[in-house]
Amino acid sequence: MLVAGLLSAQDTTALVRDTLPASLVVDSLRTDSSLSLSLGIPLSKDALEAAVEYNARDSMKIDASGEKIHLYGNAFVGYTNITLRAAHIELSWAKSEVIAEGMPNDTTGVMEGLPEFTEGENKFVARSMRYNFETRKGIVYDAITEEDDIRVRGERSKFITAPPGDTLANDIIYSENAIFTTCTADDPHFAITSRRQKVIPNKLVVVGPSNLQIMGVPTPLWLPFGFFPVSKGRRTGLIFPRDYEYSEQWGFGLKQIGWFFPLGDNFNLTLAGDIYLEGTYGLGTTLQYRKRYGYNGNFNFRYDSRRQEQIVNVTDPLTGEPVLAPNGSIARKSIFERSNGIYINWSHNQDAAAHPLNRLGGAINFQTNDFQRRVFNDARSVSTNVINSNFTFSRNWLDKPISMSVAFRHSQNTQTRQMSVDFPTFQFQTQALYPFRKKERTGPKQWYEDITLRYTNEARANFSGPDTAFFEQKTLSDARYGMQHNATMGTSFKVLKYFNLNPGASYREVWYGERLSATFDPTRGIGIDTTILPNGEIETEITDFGTYQFDTLSGFSTFRTFSANLSLNTQIFGTYFFKKGPIRGLRHVIKPNISVGYQPDYLNNPNYYNRLADTLSPFLSDEDIYYSRFNNGIFGGTPNQETQMRLSYGLNNIFEAKLFSRRDSTEKNIKLFDNLTINGDYNFAADSLKWSPIAMRGTTRFFKGATTFSFSATFDPLERIEYRPGLFRRVDKTTWSESRTPFKFVDASFNLNTNLTIGKIRALFQGQAEELVEEVDPNGDELRPVEETDFLSLLENFSIRHNMAFGFSPVAADRDTFKVTTHSIELRGSLGLTPNWNVDIGSIGYDFTRKQTTYPYLGLRRDLHCWEMGFNWAPTRNTYSFFLRVKPGTLDFIKVPYQRNNADGQRAFR
């Protein structure tokens, strides 16, 4: 047989010459047809397809009589796409076979250099092995093969390698007494053991009757067979249940069992659901898609149908009276009702490079029948009261100053169960247009060339109703729709060098397809007051003589509004410096603003408002009652005001300080008050109550931004009288004329918000800058790696939020009240007690105003190398869950769950 090989050691050339003619020393190592043509020697049909390369680090021993080569020390043999490394390799050119094994360390005696066989991307390590290059078959002992995250350990394995370039053939490994695990420890903590296994690398693993072992101890859990796909890339396949449980109401069930479908290169589709033996089920689909430089997004749809137990009293079918139980109490029984719900979540993002002018993106969140609270149990889902959607398509024109957008907007209150959808919302708008600006300038620019004109058009339809009946005909019948046009014109220029003068005007026109109409009905709403006189006679008095019936009439209707204004503003700076001390300077910035605004009379315009006669008792008949035919419009109606000629004034104050640091001899600026504003106005056109209340607002921050304090206060230059206990109204008398004070205090409100993290604590007390955290968990909370061992490091992933709001206002002419409206504290995060123990606090807090804890959600996790153990508890819902499971991977269906769901938790409360 002709030997095909390449000797890498120079001193072996002589040995080859001793066994073969000198003229064949080089050419005999070749296997191609050129050897036969040049020497006239025919090649054997058993010749190898390519040369076998081999070398060794320590030594190479050639057994000429046995036709073998022994390689020692980091030995290497290569053939086509196959490589073999080991401490000792025996290469037989007579049999075209290699035998590889490890060798004990001279000092420790530990086996080193175990055979490592590689074919393309496939690789395994064994105690010893044998492989034939001609048959492409081999035998390995104590082999370790890795397929994806699965490690297969076979006591004795036979394997067949596919010829290179043959796309129809597969590598196959047959194993005896093998274990199947995802644990990476030398002695696996768990494994599925079987007498026979078949592995097709990068495709699947098939096992015969198998048993689950934990820490080497067999368990009663047996599988008649196993089929585990280990394909690389995306393949269609079964999704094992994420969880399974037993419910007192629903029976035994599987959660999130389904099927995965890859759709082309850009889409992944998952169909999964929950199913219980007692009739409760849920169906869902998840679509993930991504196109590079194009778009990406996720679409989730879930339908949930639950069998819920209701406890009702037992009644007599004839009399309808409650039936008594033997113990004397009212007998009760269980009835079951079905509750259905839908949940839709879609988020779409367009890559900035996808299109220079068109943009499509946003998020849609929609649910019915309080889906999140019923199905999910985490703190965020339970405590969310409002969900919103906003999905928009917008387009700009490169050579035109216009843009347009079409949007879908949705708002849903999970407490009131009311839902509102705005679709479509169409907007068209222009950029700032300069109608008087010259295209070709021949002289200096005139002031009127800076006059700008802007136009905005919006058309919208609104659908509102309860989420349980939103898709009924009534929602469509009660829909509101309309269109509005807004045109504004203005400019700005300098006056007296330091002042900005800003004239402007606006015009608004609204179109509706319906209007409101009022009809007086004297037969309805009649009120009678009965009084018993001292002589025993009964006296009756009619206190209401009828009522108005409001109806919505179809037909085109429109209204128009106009306003004009002229404002003047400037800035005043005041600075004072100190030569010594920690405060080196103070700065006060004042931004005064004065404006005059005009608005015509809409209240007395019969095209917009109608006056209704008062149907109450005569002592209130002098009060006018108005209604606008546009009150129910989607864009609202006209202002319910008479002619307005207002002089408005405002002051915006900013206070800053320059601080000197002795630590590094540097100076830095800080804001003492972010803003302190004062606003009010005087209406020249009003016949009374010309002065408006004075509003004061301010915001500042403490402790390097950890705490924000804001307040608002109201003062009135007009007197107020108490016409009912605790209720005041303004009268046309100034406080200066009555008590020689420019104004009187009315009320005030204060807000104190604190969001504290360990980074902010370090920045506050240690002078360190807070770490910028970009990684967040699925709930949106910040995650920081815990590297230090001090106490603060244990709280690195914690955040404390404190909110407090209180107000001060008079309740009577001679006394005031102080009321705390909001006062709560909340803690979120995780506490790493040890490298393996973690305490998770999804949410826990206390509401001091309602004197109760906010929704607490607590968890405990333990890392067990390839396993994990955890416990979650929501005491207010009486739910909990315990799990002991394999970490996420191919075998994560192996778990021991024990839990109580929402339905069973509510039942336990009863």
Side-chain angles (χ1 to χ4, degrees):
M1 177 179 178
L2 183 63
V3 177
L6 295 177
L7 298 180
S8 58
Q10 297 178 357
D11 56 353
T12 58
T13 305
L15 296 176
V16 178
R17 290 197 182 102
D18 290 341
T19 57
L20 297 174
S23 61
L24 297 180
V25 170
V26 177
D27 290 345
S28 64
L29 303 180
R30 300 171 58 189
T31 59
D32 54 24
S33 58
S34 61
L35 179 65
S36 174
L37 295 175
S38 60
L39 300 178
I41 301 176
L43 287 175
S44 170
K45 295 182 180 180
D46 298 329
L48 298 179
E49 299 175 356
V52 178
E53 302 179 4
Y54 47 88
N55 58 41
R57 181 191 62 195
D58 295 342
S59 61
M60 184 183 303
K61 178 181 177 182
I62 298 181
D63 181 1
S65 59
E67 298 182 316
K68 298 178 181 179
I69 300 178
H70 293 268
L71 308 174
Y72 295 93
N74 196 20
F76 167 81
V77 173
Y79 174 68
T80 62
N81 64 334
I82 297 174
T83 61
L84 175 64
R85 298 181 184 275
H88 173 224
I89 297 179
E90 177 184 306
L91 172 61
S92 172
W93 66 71
K95 299 180 180 180
S96 300
E97 185 177 88
V98 291
I99 299 174
E101 61 184 356
M103 297 185 68
N105 185 279
D106 296 337
T107 304
T108 62
V110 178
M111 294 296 293
E112 294 180 345
L114 296 178
E116 182 178 300
F117 183 87
T118 303
E119 183 198 20
E121 297 180 355
N122 303 320
K123 176 181 178 181
F124 64 79
V125 179
R127 176 172 56 85
S128 62
M129 68 164 293
R130 173 180 295 177
Y131 182 75
N132 190 285
F133 294 110
E134 291 183 352
T135 63
R136 305 186 72 87
K137 296 180 180 180
I139 299 177
V140 294
Y141 299 90
D142 296 335
I144 301 176
T145 307
E146 293 190 11
E147 297 295 334
D148 199 6
D149 61 336
I150 298 177
R151 296 167 65 91
V152 181
R153 299 186 176 206
E155 181 179 300
R156 181 174 181 270
S157 303
K158 296 180 180 180
F159 67 96
I160 303 173
T161 60
D166 190 343
T167 58
L168 300 178
N170 295 307
D171 295 349
I172 303 177
I173 303 174
Y174 300 93
S175 300
E176 296 180 356
N177 299 326
I179 64 174
F180 183 48
T181 182
T182 56
C183 182
T184 58
D186 293 336
D187 295 321
H189 300 124
F190 82 98
I192 297 176
T193 63
S194 64
R195 294 183 58 83
R196 283 174 170 69
Q197 291 184 345
K198 178 181 178 180
V199 179
I200 301 178
N202 298 330
K203 286 193 175 182
L204 58 89
V205 176
V206 181
V207 300
S210 52
N211 173 246
L212 175 64
Q213 291 187 0
I214 300 178
M215 304 300 292
V217 179
T219 67
L221 300 177
W222 284 83
L223 295 174
F225 64 91
F227 178 87
F228 305 99
V230 291
S231 303
K232 293 185 178 180
R234 300 155 60 242
R235 297 288 188 276
T236 298
L238 175 69
I239 299 175
F240 282 92
R242 179 177 59 84
D243 207 349
Y244 54 90
E245 66 171 339
Y246 175 78
S247 170
E248 297 176 359
Q249 292 194 51
W250 304 336
F252 183 81
L254 301 177
K255 303 180 70 174
Q256 293 302 291
I257 180 173
W259 202 266
F260 174 77
F261 301 90
L263 306 177
D265 297 332
N266 306 112
F267 294 84
N268 292 332
L269 177 64
T270 302
L271 301 178
D274 308 334
I275 184 169
Y276 292 84
L277 294 181
E278 296 294 335
T280 293
Y281 64 92
L283 303 174
T285 178
T286 300
L287 178 66
Q288 298 176 319
Y289 55 92
R290 176 181 294 274
K291 184 177 182 181
R292 192 175 184 183
Y293 305 122
Y295 51 80
N296 66 85
N298 293 276
F299 175 81
N300 286 298
F301 171 83
R302 291 190 63 172
Y303 173 79
D304 183 79
S305 180
R306 300 196 165 201
R307 181 174 176 265
Q308 293 183 333
E309 181 185 22
Q310 301 289 337
I311 306 298
V312 298
N313 295 334
V314 179
T315 58
D316 188 287
L318 298 178
T319 63
E321 297 293 329
V323 177
L324 299 180
N327 60 0
S329 62
I330 298 177
R332 309 187 76 185
K333 66 178 181 180
S334 297
I335 62 173
F336 291 90
E337 298 178 348
R338 185 160 294 278
S339 176
N340 304 324
I342 293 175
Y343 174 78
I344 297 176
N345 173 262
W346 180 28
S347 63
H348 178 87
N349 298 293
Q350 179 178 311
D351 193 279
H355 198 282
L357 302 175
N358 296 343
R359 296 287 296 173
L360 176 67
I364 293 178
N365 299 284
F366 174 81
Q367 67 175 6
T368 62
N369 202 14
D370 205 10
F371 187 98
Q372 288 188 190
R373 281 201 179 98
R374 291 190 308 107
V375 177
F376 304 133
N377 206 40
D378 60 283
R380 187 175 294 268
S381 297
V382 173
S383 59
T384 298
N385 295 326
V386 178
I387 58 176
N388 298 288
S389 303
N390 190 348
F391 202 89
T392 306
F393 168 78
S394 62
R395 174 173 175 78
N396 296 316
W397 278 264
L398 189 62
D399 55 345
K400 297 179 179 63
I402 57 175
S403 62
M404 59 82 63
S405 65
V406 180
F408 170 91
R409 295 186 177 91
H410 151 263
S411 178
Q412 188 171 359
N413 191 302
T414 59
Q415 292 184 325
T416 62
R417 309 288 291 275
Q418 289 295 313
M419 184 164 58
S420 176
V421 173
D422 291 335
F423 180 78
T425 297
F426 172 82
Q427 284 189 337
F428 172 84
Q429 60 186 10
T430 67
Q431 300 175 8
L433 304 176
Y434 297 89
F436 305 108
R437 182 167 292 182
K438 299 178 180 178
K439 295 183 179 180
E440 297 182 359
R441 185 172 305 282
T442 59
K445 185 174 67 173
Q446 302 298 321
W447 64 269
Y448 54 82
E449 294 187 55
D450 289 331
I451 295 177
T452 60
L453 177 65
R454 289 182 173 89
Y455 170 77
T456 301
N457 171 268
E458 180 179 2
R460 189 196 312 167
N462 174 265
F463 306 88
S464 301
D467 60 8
T468 53
F470 188 78
F471 296 99
E472 297 182 358
Q473 179 63 33
K474 187 177 186 305
T475 303
L476 186 61
S477 302
D478 295 341
R480 300 182 301 159
Y481 50 91
M483 177 183 290
Q484 69 172 347
H485 310 264
N486 285 282
T488 60
M489 184 173 61
T491 187
S492 177
F493 47 86
K494 290 285 186 179
V495 175
L496 301 177
K497 188 177 180 180
Y498 299 107
F499 296 89
N500 296 317
L501 186 63
N502 308 293
S506 65
Y507 173 81
R508 177 173 177 244
E509 183 170 333
V510 178
W511 297 348
Y512 288 138
E514 58 188 16
R515 66 183 186 276
L516 198 64
S517 175
T519 305
F520 180 72
D521 187 351
T523 64
R524 301 180 59 185
I526 298 178
I528 299 177
D529 187 14
T530 303
T531 305
I532 301 177
L533 301 177
N535 59 6
E537 296 181 1
I538 299 177
E539 181 181 88
T540 60
E541 179 184 4
I542 299 177
T543 58
D544 199 343
F545 298 89
T547 187
Y548 283 93
Q549 183 71 32
F550 290 92
D551 299 308
T552 301
L553 304 179
S554 299
F556 179 77
S557 60
T558 181
F559 70 86
R560 303 162 187 85
T561 63
F562 169 80
S563 64
N565 63 84
L566 179 67
S567 66
L568 183 70
N569 60 74
T570 187
Q571 296 189 57
I572 303 173
F573 299 88
T575 306
Y576 189 83
F577 293 101
F578 301 92
K579 296 182 179 180
K580 297 181 179 180
I583 301 178
R584 294 300 174 92
L586 295 175
R587 186 185 190 191
H588 181 198
V589 181
I590 305 175
K591 299 180 179 180
N593 177 71
I594 299 177
S595 64
V596 178
Y598 169 77
Q599 178 181 281
D601 184 3
Y602 296 104
L603 188 62
N604 297 309
N605 189 334
N607 295 322
Y608 299 148
Y609 279 90
N610 291 74
R611 184 182 184 278
L612 302 180
D614 190 8
T615 64
L616 301 178
S617 55
F619 70 89
L620 289 179
S621 61
D622 59 339
E623 295 189 5
D624 294 333
I625 300 176
Y626 294 88
Y627 85 94
S628 171
R629 65 189 65 182
F630 309 105
N631 277 349
N632 198 38
I634 191 173
F635 298 112
T638 54
N640 58 344
Q641 295 174 333
E642 297 179 320
T643 303
Q644 303 290 309
M645 178 62 76
R646 293 183 178 272
L647 174 64
S648 301
Y649 55 90
L651 287 175
N652 185 12
N653 300 267
I654 301 174
F655 297 91
E656 299 175 317
K658 185 184 292 293
L659 301 182
F660 176 76
S661 175
R662 294 183 178 181
R663 179 179 301 175
D664 52 9
S665 299
T666 59
E667 296 179 349
K668 62 178 180 179
N669 296 330
I670 64 169
K671 284 188 176 182
L672 302 179
F673 261 95
D674 293 354
N675 59 76
L676 179 62
T677 62
I678 301 173
N679 297 285
D681 61 68
Y682 181 86
N683 187 5
F684 292 95
D687 56 0
S688 63
L689 307 179
K690 295 178 181 291
W691 289 100
S692 74
I694 301 172
M696 176 184 291
R697 295 179 179 85
T699 302
T700 186
R701 304 174 190 274
F702 303 105
F703 312 122
K704 296 190 175 182
T707 299
T708 301
F709 174 76
S710 61
F711 74 92
S712 64
T714 304
F715 303 88
D716 201 333
L718 298 181
E719 288 286 343
R720 296 187 176 217
I721 62 172
E722 186 177 12
Y723 66 97
R724 290 183 184 177
L727 297 178
F728 297 83
R729 66 180 178 184
R730 308 176 75 212
V731 295
D732 198 21
K733 295 180 181 180
T734 63
T735 57
W736 181 261
S737 63
E738 296 296 319
S739 58
R740 293 301 174 183
T741 57
F743 46 77
K744 287 185 178 181
F745 171 77
V746 177
D747 56 30
S749 63
F750 306 88
N751 290 275
L752 190 66
N753 301 315
T754 301
N755 187 6
L756 201 59
T757 63
I758 295 303
K760 291 180 179 178
I761 293 177
R762 285 200 174 101
L764 183 62
F765 293 102
Q766 301 178 3
Q768 301 176 2
E770 182 181 10
E771 179 186 359
L772 179 62
V773 178
E774 297 180 353
E775 184 180 1
V776 296
D777 67 5
N779 292 329
D781 296 322
E782 298 177 351
L783 295 176
R784 292 182 175 86
V786 180
E787 299 178 355
E788 304 178 9
T789 57
D790 61 351
F791 175 75
L792 290 180
S793 297
L794 297 177
L795 305 175
E796 195 74 35
N797 293 325
F798 267 102
S799 66
I800 302 174
R801 299 171 185 174
H802 174 257
N803 299 312
M804 185 176 183
F806 49 93
F808 181 76
S809 62
V811 295
D814 56 348
R815 66 183 187 273
D816 299 326
T817 182
F818 178 86
K819 184 178 181 180
V820 177
T821 57
T822 301
H823 190 196
S824 63
I825 188 170
E826 184 185 43
L827 181 67
R828 291 175 179 263
S830 62
L831 176 63
L833 300 178
T834 69
N836 295 324
W837 280 102
N838 273 81
V839 176
D840 297 326
I841 300 179
S843 173
I844 187 172
Y846 187 78
D847 191 324
F848 295 94
T849 56
R850 295 187 296 173
K851 298 181 180 180
Q852 65 182 29
T853 58
T854 57
Y855 183 76
Y857 191 77
L858 310 176
L860 183 68
R861 289 182 293 117
R862 175 69 164 92
D863 190 331
L864 301 172
H865 189 258
C866 53
W867 290 72
E868 60 182 359
M869 179 181 67
F871 176 77
N872 297 312
W873 180 41
T876 57
R877 305 191 104 190
N878 201 21
T879 62
Y880 57 82
S881 65
F882 170 82
F883 60 86
L884 178 64
R885 64 192 179 196
V886 175
K887 285 186 176 180
T890 305
L891 301 181
D892 58 4
F893 63 89
I894 301 176
K895 63 181 65 178
V896 181
Y898 182 75
Q899 58 191 344
R900 175 188 285 170
N901 57 37
N902 298 340
D904 294 339
Q906 296 300 318
R907 183 184 185 188
F909 274 136
R910 295 193 293 265

